[in-house]
Amino acid sequence: MKIGGYLCTGCGIGDRLDTKSLETVAVREGRIGFCKTHDFLCSQAGVDMIKADMAAEGDEKVTKAVIMACSRRAKTESFHFGATPVARVNLREGVIWIRPEGSEHDETTQEMAADYIRMGCAEAKAMQQADASGEQSKNNHIMVVGGGMTGMTAALEASKAGYYASIIEKADHLGGVMGQLKQRQPERSPYQNPQDTGVAALIAAVEADDKITVYLNSTIAKTAGAPGRFEVDIASTVGTGTHAEFGAIVQATGFTPYDANKLPEFSYGKTPNVVTQLELEALALAAGDGPIKRADGKVVENVVFVQCAGQRSQKEGHLSYCSGHCCATSIKQAMYFKDTNPEIETTVLFDDIRTPGAGGENFYRSAQDKFVTFRKGKVSTVDVKGNDLQVNFKDLILDEDAHMDADLVVLATGMLPNSGTDIDTMKDKDASGEIKVSVESILNLNYRQGPDVPHLVNGFADSHFICFPYETRRTGIYTAGPVRRPMDAGQAQTDAMGAVMKAIQAIENSAIGRAAHPRSGDLSFPTFRKEGCTQCKRCTVECPFGAIDEDEKGYPKYNEARCRRCGTCMGACPVQVISFKNYSIETVGAQLKAVDVPDEFQEKPRILVLACENDAYPALDMAAMKRNESSAFIRVIPVRCLGSTNTIWIKDALGSGYDGVVMMGCKKGADYQCHFVKGSEMAHVRMEKIGDTLSTMNLESERVAVHEVAITDIDRAPKLLDEMVEVINRVGLSPFKF
């Protein structure tokens, strides 16, 4: 085994640092085979130099490399050499860009660079080559659960890409909610009039596609396996069931309209003349090209649309969120009336009108041109007056109570996602201890965490639509359409395309053992040292992705294809027996121990920073790009996720003379931005107990700080480090310096 070091002098590194001295540090103190310099290491000539060393024969062959140049987030393709382990030393963003100009060969800046080189060499020594696990399999078949517009679009997009798809639909026909509509809001310029739903064309395309299989009257009885090898039992209500295998899954199970019976103040259920938006579609379809009639046969001459009926409300039982499509749907339905008879009175009572997306504003103005009335008002009640209705509301412009008569009232009631069961809501157990499922399961997963993908705060299927759309905590399973978040038909079709692309990525990655987003391409997977395992099950419980079970003896049993390589299990293990070949207790522990910690008489603090590679580390990088200065006393180690932080790193750092430790992870909670969902939250929970450790060491609690840092915290992130420097100045240097 030979470790080669490669030091770049470009981008100002050679001007700001004594590179000859750093070469010596790498070889003598880092104890690697050699260290070569290059003016532009990322250039073709620089990369070819490294590749030539890796292609050498015998003892001259480089099997590991230490790249001493820019951030690991830069030039990732240039410095990717297949399976060869590579440690990146950040001298550009991590040293010269955060130190003030004019500090050429400055002692503390030079010490900083030397420490990072020692750390990189130590990491490389502890790294091993990551190879595929041997569990790999490939299946080019995608299961699409739900046969509405989202599901059919997903299946067709999979077919276009050369993959097979099976649609599982519980009804006896395709189409979903969109199949119950007369028209949809426009998706083409000039965005002025409702257009055909396109459902019939989609159904025809699905039925004509030999790569698509449709299972009607069918549900999922059981889903087992992992990406590349899902095994699914499909139950049929009209025939025999089927067993099928899939490479990935797209859940496109749509939504159910909010129950208007929960709105007695609007007289729903007391008269057939108060309807929901979906019920109005049925009346419009029945009318064909003629005028829309009420249930009693009277032609509607005066219709009122009540927006946000039972939604955007904090009232118990109501929906707290906006359902996304309702405003445009009411505009479209008002046009149903106006296009039949321009004399019909159509009034939309709204608190806010929301028409986002392509052409939304044009569609709204087109309705105004047709003399649809938009009135800003908050409806309180709807009274039945014989065969007619009186709508009572607060006029929000005039700030006065008002009312108007109507033949028909249409309630915009919003959507509830068909997301299945959520383990967090399944509290009751039967006599055998089994959880009683109160909501029909959709996927019937054999995960210990529950039979369906977890839910977000409002019951929508788990998928953070800001950080990583379509991703769920169940690797290889992606959600799309209104089951993921409130949206209209156009957004749902775009969603379907995105989810299918993710499903294809999962299939291709699983075929060669690579991780899914956000560490796509990583071949490592967790292993554990059995003789040291205490069978505490913390790794099993804390894994956010259900990648760990137990065998018959209670030892961890890993399912590598489900694993996202976050390292949360590694951070959870109290006896440090879990590791990845290219990321482990040793790779991080070796780095922090490689730092030259000054003794107490030098009065130079050392502060360890463990920064999440997904948000905090990029924020520090971007702060460096802005030349935001940081202390020369900090030493940053990027971690895969703050959840991978094992308390042994904190103990070792403080015990070896570090003066403080700063942990920087992603935002947690309901509005989480953690790429591994629970990692940052778990780290905060673990660090709540670090005070006991500090107390036994007679150290101040302020020496360890945990922060939530977003990728946009470019100015805030360096300030958090400055705050720790101030803390150390106040409480004093560590008594463990030697």
Side-chain angles (χ1 to χ4, degrees):
M1 179 185 73
K2 189 170 187 178
I3 302 176
Y6 302 92
L7 175 58
C8 182
T9 60
C11 295
I13 294 173
D15 298 329
R16 298 286 304 279
L17 299 171
D18 182 352
T19 53
K20 286 294 182 182
S21 172
L22 295 179
E23 285 184 65
T24 303
V25 169
V27 176
R28 292 185 181 178
E29 300 180 44
R31 297 186 180 183
I32 60 176
F34 62 83
C35 183
K36 296 180 179 180
T37 60
H38 195 281
D39 291 342
F40 293 100
L41 199 57
C42 62
S43 67
Q44 191 60 54
V47 172
D48 288 344
M49 176 183 71
I50 301 171
K51 288 182 176 178
D53 290 342
M54 292 178 177
E57 299 293 335
D59 293 340
E60 297 304 310
K61 181 180 178 66
V62 168
T63 56
K64 298 180 182 180
V66 183
I67 307 297
M68 310 167 205
C70 48
S71 168
R72 65 176 58 194
R73 299 178 59 251
K75 306 296 181 180
T76 54
E77 292 185 6
S78 297
F79 297 133
H80 175 70
F81 303 103
T84 302
V86 176
R88 297 287 300 270
V89 177
N90 188 355
L91 298 179
R92 188 179 69 175
E93 293 88 339
V95 181
I96 65 169
W97 282 3
I98 63 171
R99 301 301 298 137
E101 290 288 345
S103 60
E104 284 81 2
H105 302 182
D106 170 77
E107 181 184 7
T108 54
T109 302
Q110 189 73 19
E111 288 174 351
M112 194 177 198
D115 270 344
Y116 279 129
I117 286 176
R118 294 186 194 97
M119 293 162 71
C121 294
E123 181 186 17
K125 289 178 183 177
M127 293 171 74
Q128 300 178 49
Q129 180 173 309
D131 298 306
S133 67
E135 288 192 358
Q136 285 65 51
S137 60
K138 184 176 182 180
N139 187 318
N140 284 346
H141 206 141
I142 299 172
M143 179 172 74
V144 180
V145 187
M149 176 161 280
T150 308
M152 289 190 290
T153 301
L156 288 166
E157 292 298 320
S159 175
K160 290 177 186 177
Y163 294 77
Y164 292 87
S166 288
I167 297 176
I168 316 299
E169 171 54 53
K170 66 179 181 179
D172 61 0
H173 60 278
L174 297 172
V177 171
M178 284 297 292
Q180 303 174 48
L181 308 187
K182 179 179 180 179
Q183 291 178 301
R184 65 185 289 178
Q185 65 190 77
E187 59 175 0
R188 295 187 296 272
S189 180
Y191 304 102
Q192 291 181 345
N193 298 297
Q195 66 182 57
D196 182 76
T197 62
V199 169
L202 280 176
I203 293 174
V206 166
E207 293 176 343
D209 196 317
D210 60 3
K211 287 189 176 69
I212 300 176
T213 303
V214 178
Y215 295 90
L216 298 177
N217 299 296
S218 298
T219 56
I220 309 298
K222 181 182 178 181
T223 302
R229 56 178 189 276
F230 285 111
E231 295 188 14
V232 179
D233 292 335
I234 303 171
S236 173
T237 58
V238 296
T240 57
T242 303
H243 179 82
E245 297 180 357
F246 301 97
I249 298 171
V250 173
Q251 182 178 340
T253 44
F255 74 97
T256 299
Y258 176 77
D259 185 5
N261 286 300
K262 296 180 179 180
L263 304 171
E265 65 271 25
F266 296 151
S267 294
Y268 183 84
K270 299 177 184 178
T271 170
N273 300 330
V274 176
V275 298
T276 64
Q277 288 180 325
L278 192 57
E279 289 168 341
L280 178 61
E281 292 289 341
L283 295 177
L285 283 170
D289 294 331
I292 297 175
K293 299 178 181 179
R294 303 191 315 187
D296 59 7
K298 178 184 177 182
V299 173
V300 176
E301 297 177 353
N302 187 347
V303 58
V304 173
F305 294 87
V306 178
Q307 297 308 107
C308 303
Q311 56 181 320
R312 295 184 66 209
S313 168
Q314 298 305 313
K315 184 177 179 180
E316 186 176 357
H318 287 193
L319 308 181
S320 61
Y321 52 87
C322 168
S323 292
H325 75 95
C326 311
C327 289
T329 297
S330 289
I331 291 171
K332 175 195 71 173
Q333 292 180 337
M335 290 185 182
Y336 288 171
F337 293 95
K338 286 294 187 180
D339 290 344
T340 302
N341 179 3
E343 301 302 318
I344 295 176
E345 290 291 330
T346 57
T347 303
V348 179
L349 288 172
F350 68 94
D351 190 350
D352 296 295
I353 284 286
R354 298 180 174 184
T355 54
E361 190 69 15
N362 288 1
F363 193 44
Y364 168 64
R365 299 207 179 279
S366 177
Q368 289 181 316
D369 292 341
K370 293 181 180 183
F371 297 103
V372 174
T373 301
F374 292 90
R375 190 166 180 181
K376 193 171 178 65
K378 188 75 172 176
V379 178
S380 55
T381 60
V382 175
D383 296 332
V384 179
K385 302 289 186 179
N387 290 326
D388 295 316
L389 304 166
Q390 178 177 293
V391 181
N392 305 303
F393 63 98
K394 178 69 172 289
D395 189 306
L396 298 178
I397 300 296
L398 300 177
D399 192 28
E400 63 183 24
D401 293 330
H403 67 269
M404 62 173 58
D405 296 330
D407 298 332
L408 187 72
V409 170
V410 184
L411 305 179
T413 50
M415 56 174 63
L416 291 165
N418 295 326
S419 50
T421 56
D422 183 9
I423 192 68
D424 293 332
T425 63
M426 295 155 56
K427 305 297 185 183
D428 299 327
K429 296 184 179 181
D430 60 21
S432 66
E434 292 296 318
I435 296 174
K436 293 190 294 184
V437 179
S438 58
V439 180
E440 179 184 5
S441 176
I442 292 171
L443 297 178
N444 278 298
L445 300 169
N446 69 334
Y447 284 70
R448 63 177 293 141
Q449 290 89 347
D452 284 289
V453 297
H455 296 177
L456 294 179
V457 64
N458 290 312
F460 289 90
D462 173 50
S463 173
H464 196 290
F465 48 86
I466 295 176
C467 289
F468 32 91
Y470 325 115
E471 304 281 349
T472 74
R473 276 168 271 184
R474 304 296 171 256
T475 310
I477 301 176
Y478 304 93
T479 56
V483 72
R484 188 173 76 85
R485 66 171 178 84
M487 63 180 70
D488 60 29
Q491 292 170 321
Q493 288 191 282
T494 301
D495 230 43
M497 299 176 193
V500 165
M501 292 301 102
K502 283 290 187 181
I504 290 172
Q505 183 188 47
I507 288 172
E508 297 301 324
N509 279 334
S510 65
I512 53 179
R514 296 192 309 191
H517 175 82
R519 293 196 58 82
S520 181
D522 191 349
L523 283 170
S524 69
F525 54 89
T527 58
F528 76 105
R529 186 165 47 84
K530 190 172 185 178
E531 60 270 24
C533 178
T534 61
Q535 301 167 290
C536 67
K537 297 181 175 56
R538 280 181 56 180
C539 60
T540 314
V541 173
E542 293 189 19
C543 175
F545 306 109
I548 312 174
D549 288 310
E550 295 106 28
D551 63 17
E552 62 279 0
K553 294 183 179 180
Y555 288 105
K557 183 178 180 181
Y558 291 95
N559 189 323
E560 290 94 341
R562 292 181 181 178
C563 176
R564 301 282 179 88
R565 281 69 165 176
C566 61
T568 299
C569 56
M570 190 174 84
C573 182
V575 288
Q576 299 93 48
V577 298
I578 300 174
S579 64
F580 299 76
K581 287 188 174 181
N582 55 6
Y583 182 68
S584 63
I585 298 296
E586 289 74 25
T587 60
V588 176
Q591 289 182 73
L592 67 90
K593 291 174 184 176
V595 171
D596 183 15
V597 179
D599 61 37
E600 59 181 316
F601 301 106
Q602 297 183 52
E603 297 185 352
K604 293 179 180 178
R606 286 295 179 262
I607 297 170
L608 175 65
V609 180
L610 299 173
C612 167
E613 69 180 11
N614 294 302
D615 273 27
Y617 197 70
L620 291 173
D621 267 359
M622 288 186 283
M625 292 177 188
K626 293 179 62 178
R627 304 304 194 267
N628 287 357
E629 293 182 14
S630 288
S631 170
F633 301 139
I634 65 170
R635 300 294 182 264
V636 180
I637 299 178
V639 294
R640 292 186 177 183
C641 174
L642 208 62
S644 69
T645 301
N646 196 289
T647 54
I648 192 66
W649 295 337
I650 313 299
K651 296 175 185 175
D652 284 351
L654 295 173
S656 59
Y658 281 84
D659 303 281
V661 179
V662 178
M663 299 170 59
M664 306 173 81
C666 303
K667 289 189 175 182
K668 58 184 177 62
D671 190 30
Y672 72 91
Q673 292 179 15
C674 176
H675 285 58
F676 298 110
V677 188
K678 293 287 187 180
S680 183
E681 181 178 316
M682 294 309 306
H684 278 77
V685 171
R686 293 175 199 147
M687 289 307 112
E688 287 176 356
K689 303 172 184 176
I690 201 68
D692 295 338
T693 299
L694 294 171
S695 177
T696 60
M697 298 174 72
N698 290 319
L699 291 174
E700 297 83 357
S701 60
E702 300 100 309
R703 291 186 186 272
V704 177
V706 188
H707 299 290
E708 296 178 52
V709 178
I711 197 170
T712 53
D713 286 337
I714 300 169
D715 295 319
R716 174 172 170 263
K719 291 179 181 177
L720 295 175
L721 305 183
D722 292 339
E723 289 175 7
M724 179 55 79
V725 174
E726 293 174 4
V727 168
I728 300 306
N729 288 336
R730 176 170 52 82
V731 301
L733 298 178
S734 169
F736 287 91
K737 288 184 179 295
F738 47 84

